[in-house]
Amino acid sequence: MIRVALADDQTLVRAGFRSILSDETDMEVVGEAADGEQAVALAREQRPDVFLMDIRMPVLDGLEATRRITADGRLEGVRVVILTTFDVDDHVYGALRAGASGFLLKDTEPMELLHAVRVVARGDALIAPAVTRRLIAEFASRGRRPDAGPRLNALTEREREVMGLVGAGLSNDEIAQRLVLSPATAKTHVSRIMTKLAVRDRAQLVILAYESGMITPGWLA
């Protein structure tokens, strides 16, 4: 059973998400919060598998609430999916940097929402290729000098190649197809990379790929 918590300052929005999730036999809504402080308290009390988090909330916004949740070692198993009506780069990047495992717009179709919850619950990240393209463009426009850092020296050439494809938004199946590997082998590569680099999930691996300069505009043609 996937235990899900909801945080949104609009009662009707929470009710809508609860209705969608409660119809699923493998999901259970364990609590709701109307602001960021309540969300952090709820996470500590219930320790849900997935927390659906709005960005713009009173008292404490969703990004800061996400940072507090992901920084708390007692909440290591809590995965946050950001839900917002604002499809802008600052929110996408901020959400991922805060430790979110996924980012979806509130007008996402119910089936896509359910898929996102299941994907994140099993430890994967949900980052659409369209989101990764915007992040790549944002890093390029900032003109910042990439710093790969010593951690990447632990990776093999194949692992660097796989990490670059993860950063470009490809799924394990897509990576396997592109590199002529089995899906199981691609998944093993991704798992080993995350272990070597000590990142909590695929979303953080994507961020590291950007910040290290592995991904640049036009890299994946």
Side-chain angles (χ1 to χ4, degrees):
M1 183 69 70
I2 302 172
R3 304 173 73 252
V4 185
L6 310 172
D8 195 291
D9 60 341
Q10 297 183 45
T11 304
L12 288 177
V13 171
R14 297 199 307 273
F17 287 142
R18 175 181 282 275
S19 176
I20 293 170
L21 297 166
S22 297
D23 285 340
E24 300 303 302
T25 58
D26 62 337
M27 297 182 191
E28 175 189 10
V29 177
V30 297
E32 300 180 15
D35 62 53
E37 281 194 357
Q38 291 180 12
V40 175
L42 178 60
R44 290 171 177 163
E45 177 184 351
Q46 293 292 337
R47 300 190 184 185
D49 300 305
V50 179
F51 210 129
L52 300 182
M53 183 83 67
D54 186 26
I55 287 183
R56 295 195 175 184
M57 293 186 293
V59 186
L60 190 72
D61 67 36
L63 296 186
E64 182 56 32
T66 299
R67 289 188 191 96
R68 295 186 187 185
I69 290 171
T70 58
D72 190 333
R74 297 168 297 178
L75 304 178
E76 186 176 352
V78 178
R79 305 292 180 179
V80 179
V81 175
I82 296 292
L83 288 161
T84 182
T85 56
F86 303 96
D87 184 15
V88 294
D89 293 340
D90 284 346
H91 289 150
V92 175
Y93 181 67
L96 297 178
R97 286 294 291 157
S101 295
F103 184 97
L104 291 172
L105 296 179
K106 286 184 179 179
D107 61 0
T108 296
E109 293 295 324
M111 291 304 297
E112 293 179 17
L113 172 65
L114 296 172
H115 173 69
V117 170
R118 293 185 176 105
V119 166
V120 172
R122 66 173 181 250
D124 292 332
L126 191 89
I127 309 175
V131 172
T132 66
R133 284 194 294 270
R134 292 201 304 277
L135 286 170
I136 293 168
E138 181 183 345
F139 271 85
S141 67
R142 288 180 180 181
R144 59 175 295 172
R145 186 172 182 177
D147 180 12
R151 284 196 296 172
L152 298 191
N153 293 335
L155 301 182
T156 65
E157 285 302 312
R158 173 61 92 185
E159 288 169 344
R160 284 173 176 262
E161 190 174 13
V162 170
M163 180 175 170
L165 295 174
V166 171
L170 272 64
S171 67
N172 289 344
D173 287 346
E174 290 168 335
I175 291 171
Q177 184 176 16
R178 190 175 184 90
L179 298 182
V180 195
L181 304 170
S182 72
T185 299
K187 182 177 181 180
T188 297
H189 278 309
V190 173
S191 296
R192 285 177 178 170
I193 293 166
M194 290 195 294
T195 298
K196 285 184 177 182
L197 300 181
V199 295
R200 61 177 275 146
D201 59 25
R202 202 181 187 98
Q204 299 306 297
L205 188 60
V206 170
I207 288 294
L208 184 57
Y210 299 146
E211 294 185 334
S212 68
M214 275 189 171
I215 307 299
T216 58
W219 177 80
L220 187 62

